[in-house]
Amino acid sequence: MQPPEADVVLVRHGELGVKSEQVRRKMEGRLAENLRAMLDARGLAGDIERRRNRLFVHTDEPDAVADAAADTFGVVSASPARTVEPTLEGIEAALAAATDANYAGGSFAVDATRAGPDDAHPFASTDIESEGGAAVWSAIESQGVEPVVDLDDPDFTLFVECRREEAYVFLEKRAGPGGLPLGTQRPVVALVSGGIDSPVAAWKLMARGCPVIPVYVDLGDYGGPDHRARARATVEQLADYAPGEAMAMHVVDAGAVVADLESEMDALRMLSVRRFMLAAAEAVAESEGAVGVVTGEAIGQKSSQTSANVAVTDAATDLPVHRPLVATDKSEITQRARDIGTFEDATVDTGCNRVAPELPETNADLDAVRAAEPDDLFERARACATARTVVPIER
């Protein structure tokens, strides 16, 4: 919802405000750049104004711009708003107009804040709420409805933010992803399988400011039908959240290695497959300037993801392995995948079940795995990574 004559979008961020002045300014600048890229990618016009702890987008398309802002990492919330004079009369008139245009029944409340020194306005935020509430009351009465005020859980809330030079009236705060602006941290390699979990994990690292370099390990005959296409589709969805970043999917051909592991190993082979993947991801990271690897693993979700087995697979790389989903239930991961748009393309068999042994080891010992797997496993991982195919993501 938006008030009549909405002309601006208020864009709020969170964590940036607690940074040092120098860091905050730098991150706010990056947030503005990323928001500009998001607007350009969606063909939206708007002038972005930076103020301390807030961005303002002056636009003729506030509804669509608010949606774009709510998809931008670092944004906590966005509100299409109407700019009015910072007077009680101007605010009351805008509140009445917003009620006439948007009220659809139920209880209401006016939630107001006032910024600036005490002498900035001849009224307080409580005056805005009481006088503005009276204007809303009258507007509802004019519709032939008995007004009901509920300050705790209203059905219809009107917000006012009053500053020294202007006031803003709005009706909603569209939630954004929060976190930090993309590009304020060093990049990481994201192992993407085409399944539900790995795109969500990559998205979460992006929400912490890390650009991701997607790496898809092709399992050859052990991959599902159209598996690579599904993986690419999820990467394309992630790319929509990073319009200012050049993104490509790095495809590592592991078909021959996986076939050898399947024929030579039994209960431990899935762990060696995972170790191969991490070693290949490390090689890609070294060549691309990345500083870590992100995976969609959660403790206990699969046999290779028990706490003991994770320790074994982590030994394959010197880089930190980030697992943002490590303690997350599958239902939560699935809902997040739906929210960010990767679920539909990710509902495909990842192929790993065709590699996993009938009775996989769930409490592996690192020395036993090293003794069982081929001595040249990591050399082959690096060679496959070097020979990888890079597939640009077109927007």
Side-chain angles (χ1 to χ4, degrees), residues 20 51 73 89 103 117 129 131 138 159 170 180 209 237 241 266 283 290 293 317 327 335-336 348 360-361:
S20 68
R51 301 186 196 174
F73 295 116
E89 294 79 7
Y103 179 72
E129 291 174 343
E131 297 299 321
S138 297
F159 300 92
F170 52 97
L180 301 174
Q237 288 289 332
Y241 289 94
D266 190 10
V293 180
T317 177
Q335 185 55 55
R336 176 66 75 174
V348 62
E361 177 61 67

Side-chain angles (χ1 to χ4, degrees), residues 309-385:
N309 287 354
V310 164
V312 169
T313 56
D314 269 11
T317 177
D318 291 327
L319 290 177
V321 180
H322 304 290
R323 295 182 174 90
L325 310 181
V326 67
T328 309
D329 290 342
K330 187 69 173 186
S331 59
E332 296 178 58
I333 300 170
T334 299
Q335 185 55 55
R336 176 66 75 174
R338 293 183 187 276
D339 292 341
I340 66 176
T342 59
F343 176 79
E344 184 175 349
D345 290 316
T347 51
V348 62
D349 188 346
T350 62
C352 290
N353 63 323
R354 287 184 284 278
V355 181
E358 184 176 348
L359 295 174
E361 177 61 67
T362 59
N363 189 32
D365 174 78
L366 178 58
D367 290 337
V369 173
R370 284 171 170 165
E373 68 190 9
D375 293 337
D376 64 347
L377 182 67
F378 293 168
E379 286 76 9
R380 294 182 72 179
R382 285 190 285 273
C384 289

Side-chain angles (χ1 to χ4, degrees), residues 55-367:
L55 298 179
F56 295 79
V57 186
H58 304 278
T59 179
D60 294 329
E61 306 170 275
D63 187 59
V65 168
D67 281 342
D71 284 338
T72 303
F73 295 116
V75 172
V76 171
S77 65
S79 300
R82 176 182 175 182
T83 308
V84 299
E85 292 293 323
T87 64
L88 284 178
E89 294 79 7
I91 292 170
E92 290 168 21
L95 288 171
T99 303
D100 289 338
N102 293 278
Y103 179 72
S107 59
F108 81 92
V110 175
D111 186 342
T113 58
R114 191 185 67 85
D118 291 341
D119 62 357
H121 310 93
F123 51 83
S125 59
T126 52
D127 297 318
I128 299 175
E129 291 174 343
S130 60
E131 297 299 321
V136 174
W137 182 286
S138 297
I140 293 175
E141 275 190 327
S142 69
Q143 297 181 16
V145 178
E146 181 66 28
V148 176
V149 175
D150 186 344
L151 301 181
D152 296 320
D153 187 24
D155 299 304
F156 181 62
T157 304
L158 302 99
F159 300 92
V160 179
E161 183 175 304
C162 187
R163 294 173 174 253
R164 181 189 288 273
E165 302 297 333
E166 64 279 303
Y168 303 97
V169 173
F170 52 97
L171 301 173
E172 63 174 331
K173 298 178 181 180
R174 299 183 192 176
L180 301 174
L182 188 66
T184 56
Q185 301 293 316
R186 292 280 298 279
V188 296
V189 163
L191 279 170
V192 292
S193 67
I196 293 173
D197 304 334
S198 57
V200 175
W203 185 92
K204 280 185 166 289
L205 262 290
M206 293 168 74
R208 297 308 304 169
C210 299
V212 297
I213 301 165
V215 171
Y216 168 69
V217 178
D218 191 326
L219 302 179
D221 292 339
Y222 295 90
D226 299 323
H227 187 223
R228 184 186 297 197
R230 292 297 184 93
R232 178 171 177 172
T234 61
V235 171
E236 288 172 348
Q237 288 289 332
L238 292 176
D240 287 343
Y241 289 94
E245 301 281 337
M247 189 176 289
M249 186 171 76
H250 296 243
V251 180
V252 175
D253 185 356
V257 176
V258 173
D260 289 346
L261 293 177
E262 196 279 334
S263 65
E264 297 173 11
M265 299 180 68
D266 190 10
L268 299 174
R269 67 170 173 261
M270 196 61 228
L271 298 181
S272 289
V273 170
R274 294 298 301 172
R275 283 162 57 79
F276 171 91
M277 290 179 174
L278 287 175
E282 180 182 66
V284 174
E286 289 173 354
S287 67
E288 298 294 324
V291 295
V293 180
V294 55
T295 80
E297 294 165 299
I299 290 295
Q301 187 178 120
K302 296 180 179 179
S303 62
S304 63
Q305 297 174 25
T306 64
S307 56
N309 287 354
V310 164
V312 169
T313 56
D314 269 11
T317 177
D318 291 327
L319 290 177
V321 180
H322 304 290
R323 295 182 174 90
L325 310 181
V326 67
T328 309
D329 290 342
K330 187 69 173 186
S331 59
E332 296 178 58
I333 300 170
T334 299
Q335 185 55 55
R336 176 66 75 174
R338 293 183 187 276
D339 292 341
I340 66 176
T342 59
F343 176 79
E344 184 175 349
D345 290 316
T347 51
V348 62
D349 188 346
T350 62
C352 290
N353 63 323
R354 287 184 284 278
V355 181
E358 184 176 348
L359 295 174
E361 177 61 67
T362 59
N363 189 32
D365 174 78
L366 178 58
D367 290 337

Side-chain angles (χ1 to χ4, degrees), residues 18-33:
V18 302
K19 303 294 184 182
S20 68
E21 185 71 13
Q22 181 179 6
V23 172
R24 180 186 61 79
R25 287 180 178 275
K26 183 177 180 180
M27 287 192 172
E28 284 181 346
R30 186 56 185 257
L31 179 59
E33 292 174 6

Side-chain angles (χ1 to χ4, degrees), residues 40-57:
D40 290 345
R42 299 188 182 186
L44 299 172
D47 295 325
I48 300 175
E49 177 188 0
R50 287 176 57 187
R51 301 186 196 174
R52 183 178 179 87
N53 295 331
R54 187 68 57 85
L55 298 179
F56 295 79
V57 186

